[in-house]
Amino acid sequence: MPVMITRILDAQWFDVLARILLTLVFWTSGLGKLFDFTASAGIMDDFGLQPGWAYNIATLILQIGASLMIICNRGVWLATGALAVFTVLTIPIAHPFWAKSGEEAFQDMTVALEHISVIGGLAVYAVYFRQRERMLFQ
């Protein structure tokens, strides 16, 4: 591996940046739910999650809180697990591609596959964090 790449991968700033990017989709979504609370609560109601305001609060707390935990390297196993479970649950609630047809089904399937990839990224980070933790405490 080139020395420049090694230096970047070993840099603390790059580790933090990677965690910010890994959680970007969650914390930006949580902030969106916070700043446009009424519309987001209405979307929750539309998905049959009632009361929408309560689901909106729970979702934005989970998205922002778990993202911060990962960014700060605190409770990584809990945060990655919570976001993974949340993400898999959004597929049948918001992206049920199997119940649709045509372009709409294709779009929802694409989003579902992207969600599964994000879950994979969360799992990889949890494994990385655990291995790093084990090396530090040996």
Side-chain angles (χ1 to χ4, degrees):
M1 180 179 308
V3 172
M4 187 172 106
I5 300 299
T6 302
R7 287 187 184 144
I8 291 170
L9 292 175
D10 289 343
Q12 177 66 26
W13 66 265
F14 189 75
D15 187 31
V16 174
L17 177 62
R19 286 181 268 139
I20 290 169
L21 294 175
L22 174 64
T23 58
L24 177 74
V25 68
F26 297 108
W27 59 261
T28 56
S29 177
L31 290 173
K33 287 172 179 60
L34 178 64
F35 293 132
D36 197 357
F37 189 87
T38 303
S40 296
I43 291 169
M44 297 292 180
D45 282 326
D46 292 344
F47 285 130
L49 303 172
Q50 298 183 359
W53 64 266
Y55 278 93
N56 194 54
I57 289 172
T59 300
L60 73 88
I61 289 170
L62 170 68
Q63 289 180 314
I64 295 170
S67 293
L68 285 172
M69 289 171 72
I70 292 168
I71 292 167
C72 297
N73 269 339
R74 301 286 183 250
V76 169
W77 68 270
L78 178 62
T80 55
L83 288 175
V85 169
F86 168 79
T87 302
V88 80
L89 290 175
T90 65
I91 295 171
I93 294 170
H95 309 289
F97 60 89
W98 55 89
K100 298 177 180 178
S101 62
E103 184 64 25
E104 193 177 19
F106 179 76
Q107 288 176 352
D108 272 0
M109 184 181 69
T110 301
V111 171
L113 292 172
E114 290 170 352
H115 280 32
I116 292 167
S117 293
V118 169
I119 292 166
L122 291 166
V124 166
Y125 184 68
V127 169
Y128 159 79
F129 182 81
R130 174 65 183 133
Q131 289 176 345
R132 193 175 98 193
E133 196 176 54
R134 283 177 37 211
M135 288 176 17
L136 289 173
F137 295 110
Q138 284 185 349

